[in-house]
Amino acid sequence: MSEQPAPYGGTPAVEADESRERVRIGHLREMKQRGEKWAMLTAYDMYTAATFDQAGIPVLLIGDSASNNVYGNETSLPVTVDELIPLVRAVSRSARRALILADLPFGSYQTSAEQAFTTAARFMKEGGAHAVKLEGGLEMLPQVETLTRSGIPVMAHIGFTPQAEHALGGYRVQGRGEEAQRLVDTAIAFERAGAFGILIEMVPGEVAARITEAVGIPTVGIGAGNGCDAQVLVWQDMAGLRTGRLPRFVKQYADVHGVLHRAALDFAADVEAGTFPGPEHTF
Ligand SMILES: Nc1nc(=O)c2c([nH]1)NC[C@@H]1CN(c3ccc(C(=O)N[C@@H](CCC(=O)O)C(=O)O)cc3)CN21
Ligand SMILES: CC(C)C(=O)C(=O)O
Ligand SMILES: [Mg+2]
């Protein structure tokens, strides 16, 4: 792969090199110590996983956002463990180097540390995940402690936590004013409980930067400004497959919707005109 030119003129930020070793959580911590920022993307299937892995993205997240971005639900709430595990398996089979991070969906970890362990173990045994992510605040400390003690790396997702959107009153920035210190304290508590990273969603940039300085583990921001150690976006957002109004924190790097729309129109036009298949496609 590495000897091939990047298709469509793109220059990879990181040269593809399939011989490179698997990304480990220790590497992410070392990158923080060296001040090297890194990118995370969601992936839900084989070709996106392989493509992002070859581009050198060190962490691939199978998000519970598959609920809206794969299964067509309006929110992340309905997606189940049984729906997510096959997607995790597709991604883990297809990425040679990236660390495979699986979201625990709504309802699969909140009631107890035991429930969190049972669910996380399924994601690892059946899905091939290397680590899991869960949403919440200090009430999730037992879950983080138990997973860590059991040898399951866990990332804590704080700030705007989409699984709690109804409790939070919709898609709203979190951690303004007095709430800022609470988020800093929560992140420190998660680090002490053994979390390997903190995901910070929709929090003022200056608050996310304070959290990032307060902990020794990497922070991954989405809508949390430029002060985090890493950044994540949902791939259909950053690649322009999803259309319509996008959250303010999204930057669109491609027009995949436009490319696919054009391809579908051209294919249909060829079929309707009788010009596809041609002799070269015919046995
Ligand atoms: N495609 C997709 N992208 C995401 O980033 C994403 C998902 N799905 N699904 C799960 C959660 C839900 N997330 C969301 C969804 C909507 C907004 C949103 O509409 N934000 C507005 C309002 C912010 C405000 O006014 O406070 C924005 O303009 O950013 C933000 C995060 C992030 N996650
Ligand atoms: C938006 C990211 C952080 C996420 O949790 C997801 O994709 O589910
Ligand atoms: Mg999620």
Side-chain angles (χ1 to χ4, degrees), residues 63-65 103 133 135 157:
D64 60 338
S65 57
D103 249 348
K133 177 164 79 61
E135 298 183 6
H157 181 155

Side-chain angles (χ1 to χ4, degrees), residues 65 68-69 162 171-173 201-202 234 237 242 247-249:
S65 57
N68 25 333
N69 304 312
Y171 300 131
R172 292 163 54 172
V173 175
E201 177 161 353
M202 281 215 290
V234 168
D237 296 350
R242 177 188 182 201
R248 175 177 162 186
F249 56 73

Side-chain angles (χ1 to χ4, degrees), residues 18 43 45-55 60 90-91 94-96:
E18 296 191 2
D45 69 9
M46 169 184 165
Y47 286 115
T48 55
T51 301
F52 301 153
D53 188 59
Q54 286 159 23
L60 297 181
V91 171
S94 310
R96 291 163 187 256

Side-chain angles (χ1 to χ4, degrees), residues 26 32 40 45 73 136 155 160 163 176 231 234 267 277 280:
K32 178 174 183 126
M40 172 161 122
D45 69 9
N73 299 307
M155 178 178 286
F160 176 66
Q163 293 175 21
R176 289 203 160 117
Q231 298 290 330
V234 168
F267 171 58
E280 70 274 34

